[in-house]
Amino acid sequence: MTHFPSKRLPAAGGPVAVGRTLATVVALVAALALGAAGEATAAASATKGTTTAAPRWTDRAHGFASLAGGTSGGAGGKVVTVTDQASLVKYAAAEEPYVIRVAGSIDVAPFGSDVVVTSNKTLIGVDDTGEIVHGELHLNPGTSNVIIRNLTIRDSYVEGDWDGKTTDFDAIQMDTVDHVWIDHNRFTHMGDGLLDIRKDSQYITVSSNQFTNHNKAFGIGWTPNVLTQITIDHNWFTGTKQRNPSADNCAYAHLYNNYVAAQVADGDPVWTYGNWSRGRTRMVIENSYYDGVQHPYQADATAELVQRGSILRNVSGRTDTWGTAFEPRDFYPYRLDPAAAVPALVKRFSGPQQRIGAAVTLHVPADYPTVQAAVDAVPAGNAGPVTIAVAPGTYREKVFIPAGKAHILLQGTGRNRSDTVIVHNTPAEYGGSTGSATVRIAANDVTARNLTFSNDFDEAAVELKGEQALAMKTTGDRIVFENTAFLGNQDTLMTDSPKLDLISRVYVRDSYIEGDVDFIYGRATTVIERSVIRALSRGSTTNNGYITAASTWTGNPYGFLITRSKVVSDAPAGSFHLGRPWHPGGEPNAVAQVLFRETELPAAIKTSPWTDMSGFSWRDARFAEYRTYGPGAEVTADRPQSSDADAAVHTVADYLNGTDGWAPHARR
């Protein structure tokens, strides 16, 4: 028996080790970055001689928060969505890791109360509407590894208390913590500080936030120890008075590409300012933009401050620089935008963003050791999109996406679909046809992209009664496969539905499917477009197998459509069938419907390409071709051809439309 090279895969156990490296982040940026190509052009990276540049916006911490093991938040834990204070408090304070999605506005009571956030948590606003109102996120001493993203925290201001002397209602306050990333939030109109990072906190990054309508915006310090390492980039300070930020006794404070503008002007000659390097802080400011600011940047005599590349407009007062501070690139790579581009960039991309909060991304194997572990982290009843980003490697495991876990995108992050492979080797002899499947998708609204699914059971090596060995089985509705490969022999790809008269739809585009016997089969309405189908030879000169075995419900006019595709084969001429009608369990109401349309057929296809199955005649099924071509497309008496009128109502849109107007083919 001949096997093509694509069928044979490494059998090494477990995934290829891929750590939390910069290379992994770069590989993911195409799928996860907030900035598009045009945006990157508008704000090209800056400094001459720079050899290493970090990607623009990703879902991975950068700057000092990326060092000493990095900051991953709740990665590795379950994903939950909260809509009320009780749930937020419960999950934020839990011992185990969580990714906590905040949906809508949560009003905290009593007014100004703390919501305690413990270690290994990610809090992220859903879309751009997640809000915490009248409350503070509080990180107690010893807290580690926290990400807070895409939230609005607002309105704990006490009328008349402009200096915040009677309350301590910050937006976020942390004491003696490490590895915290504060990103793409909006902080406004709180009771004391907007963001207080205090008492020897270390490995902190504050990026792309908005600080508005407040007196004391952002303070760092409250300690005599010189320990804090902090990166502050792409933030927008507007309508604030002081602490933009104030950095006291920071070992390293790196500020770049921040926009400080429209400062509150109350005539205060001292305590109205932009950035302040205090105590023994070593501060570096790069390519920031100051407009309408008193004392844009200043330093104590005991501190150091290096400034380069910033733009000052309509400013007055101090612009201190002295000392050598430090070189940020000695610690981490980063991308500098030109100072002139900062106002436009920061206005557009700071604060909560729909593209950040639209989908949670779970990384395999960086945060979840297996694909199934990532699937298990998705909550039952999931209503929001979740991306499972699978790094290049071979994952020898079986994966099941149950019916309650909809809206999942399985995304291979390699350059090619062959870089990321999910494979197992179970035949039907050891678990039945369904149990043999390497991957099963029972949920609706699942997409798989840039992946290979394989069942590498070697049917030539053993003799078994049940040699069916599925690479993929689906029963969910609205399933999409883009740039995927399905490798197997008998029964490679099964697209099914939960029961005979319940219609599920599957769309396969720009993909590759190989096998020999009934290797595309089932009762789901299935469109295979712009794909390659390889019919493998079993070594026979007369019958090497069947491409399709549809079991379409008789009440469903749309079964399998294979269109604008190409069938290839190494089988001898005239030895392969296009299909046969499958009636599971002798079910008379399963009447196959298959149309090969505008598809190239090889010489291996028989001149009478349809055949009977289990006593059911192919002539009673709904088999047809329309404008097939190639050496295997000779029209004979045993090859039903669709008329132009029939073809007009058997298009991709007709097959997929259903009652909800589903049109995945229209997305490009």
Side-chain angles (χ1 to χ4, degrees), residues 117-161:
V117 181
T118 57
S119 298
N120 306 313
K121 301 293 183 296
T122 295
L123 276 73
I124 184 167
V126 175
D127 294 321
D128 58 358
T129 60
E131 292 190 323
I132 297 172
V133 184
H134 305 147
E136 171 186 307
L137 298 181
H138 192 91
L139 282 62
N140 287 320
T143 302
S144 177
N145 192 31
V146 172
I147 295 173
I148 301 172
R149 301 188 80 198
N150 219 53
L151 287 169
T152 293
I153 306 179
R154 63 177 175 87
D155 292 332
S156 289
Y157 179 68
V158 175
E159 289 299 327
D161 190 22

Side-chain angles (χ1 to χ4, degrees), residues 180-218:
V180 177
W181 183 28
I182 309 295
D183 179 70
H184 279 97
N185 301 289
R186 179 185 298 113
F187 306 121
T188 186
H189 207 225
M190 298 298 288
D192 182 26
L194 293 177
L195 179 57
D196 278 4
I197 297 175
R198 310 172 1 144
K199 299 180 181 177
D200 305 336
S201 295
Q202 299 191 72
Y203 299 110
I204 313 294
T205 296
V206 177
S207 53
S208 298
N209 301 285
Q210 295 177 0
F211 298 84
T212 74
N213 191 20
H214 201 76
N215 182 353
K216 303 171 182 177
F218 178 4

Side-chain angles (χ1 to χ4, degrees), residues 67-105:
L67 303 183
T71 303
S72 57
K78 292 187 178 298
V79 179
V80 295
T81 301
V82 299
T83 58
D84 59 79
Q85 182 177 349
S87 298
L88 174 63
V89 168
K90 170 186 172 182
Y91 290 115
E95 293 185 4
E96 59 268 39
Y98 276 102
V99 177
I100 303 166
R101 307 179 74 233
V102 179
S105 184

Side-chain angles (χ1 to χ4, degrees), residues 40 43-47 53 56 335-338:
S45 64
T47 51
R56 195 172 294 283
R335 180 195 303 270
L336 270 178
D337 291 308

Side-chain angles (χ1 to χ4, degrees), residues 96 107 375 497 607:
E96 59 268 39
D107 195 339
V375 171
S497 68
T607 55

Side-chain angles (χ1 to χ4, degrees), residues 182-525:
I182 309 295
D183 179 70
H184 279 97
N185 301 289
R186 179 185 298 113
F187 306 121
T188 186
H189 207 225
M190 298 298 288
D192 182 26
L194 293 177
L195 179 57
D196 278 4
I197 297 175
R198 310 172 1 144
K199 299 180 181 177
D200 305 336
S201 295
Q202 299 191 72
Y203 299 110
I204 313 294
T205 296
V206 177
S207 53
S208 298
N209 301 285
Q210 295 177 0
F211 298 84
T212 74
N213 191 20
H214 201 76
N215 182 353
K216 303 171 182 177
F218 178 4
I220 312 160
W222 292 273
T223 174
N225 303 315
V226 185
L227 291 176
T228 298
Q229 313 94 341
I230 188 165
T231 302
I232 302 166
D233 69 279
H234 292 91
N235 299 285
W236 185 10
F237 299 85
T238 181
T240 59
K241 173 179 165 68
Q242 59 180 305
R243 300 183 185 175
N244 297 296
S246 165
D248 187 25
N249 286 331
C250 291
Y252 306 106
H254 182 204
L255 286 63
Y256 68 94
N257 289 146
N258 295 295
Y259 181 37
V260 185
Q263 184 182 59
V264 169
D266 60 2
D268 186 336
V270 176
W271 298 106
T272 301
Y273 60 88
N275 311 144
W276 194 342
S277 180
R278 304 181 68 176
R280 289 181 289 162
T281 292
R282 285 171 284 189
M283 178 180 288
V284 175
I285 299 173
E286 298 183 279
N287 288 27
S288 290
Y289 198 106
Y290 302 85
D291 189 356
V293 179
Q294 175 179 272
H295 308 313
Y297 42 86
Q298 58 186 319
D300 290 353
T302 53
E304 299 181 34
L305 192 158
V306 170
Q307 189 287 129
R308 48 186 178 246
S310 298
I311 293 176
L312 286 75
R313 295 284 186 270
N314 307 310
V315 303
S316 63
R318 296 172 61 176
T319 54
D320 303 334
T321 59
W322 46 71
T324 57
F326 66 101
E327 176 48 61
R329 293 192 196 282
D330 290 342
F331 293 88
Y332 51 80
Y334 60 100
R335 180 195 303 270
L336 270 178
D337 291 308
V342 165
L345 273 174
V346 170
K347 284 181 178 180
R348 182 174 180 186
F349 294 119
S350 66
Q353 305 284 321
Q354 282 191 332
R355 290 185 64 183
I356 290 176
V360 170
T361 300
L362 312 180
H363 297 270
V364 178
D367 300 322
Y368 300 83
T370 64
V371 178
Q372 187 62 56
V375 171
D376 292 344
V378 179
N382 176 57
V386 176
T387 295
I388 298 177
V390 188
T394 298
Y395 300 80
R396 186 162 286 276
E397 60 173 305
K398 299 181 81 166
V399 176
F400 175 51
I401 302 178
K405 299 193 176 188
H407 310 295
I408 289 177
L409 166 62
L410 283 175
Q411 174 74 53
T413 64
R415 297 175 69 95
N416 303 300
R417 63 189 176 214
S418 59
D419 293 340
T420 309
V421 181
I422 303 173
V423 57
H424 212 266
N425 62 351
T426 304
E429 183 80 1
Y430 307 132
S433 179
T434 296
S436 76
T438 298
V439 177
R440 287 195 293 142
I441 300 174
N444 296 339
D445 299 298
V446 173
T447 295
R449 185 180 296 137
N450 203 39
L451 291 161
T452 292
F453 304 101
S454 174
N455 191 321
D456 64 355
F457 165 68
D458 191 346
E459 66 180 17
V462 294
E463 289 293 331
L464 297 175
K465 292 180 181 178
E467 293 190 347
Q468 300 92 337
L470 283 67
M472 172 66 66
K473 178 177 179 177
T474 71
T475 51
D477 188 26
R478 298 183 298 272
I479 308 298
V480 176
F481 296 103
E482 294 178 324
N483 190 33
T484 49
F486 305 88
L487 311 182
N489 288 120
Q490 184 172 351
D491 294 9
T492 303
L493 172 61
M494 183 182 193
T495 57
D496 215 30
S497 68
K499 60 180 182 178
L500 178 64
D501 58 356
L502 185 63
I503 298 173
S504 292
R505 292 159 293 172
V506 178
Y507 180 53
V508 182
R509 181 170 69 189
D510 300 325
S511 293
Y512 172 93
I513 309 165
E514 69 172 31
D516 47 41
V517 173
D518 304 333
F519 62 96
I520 302 170
Y521 77 114
R523 62 176 168 245
T525 293

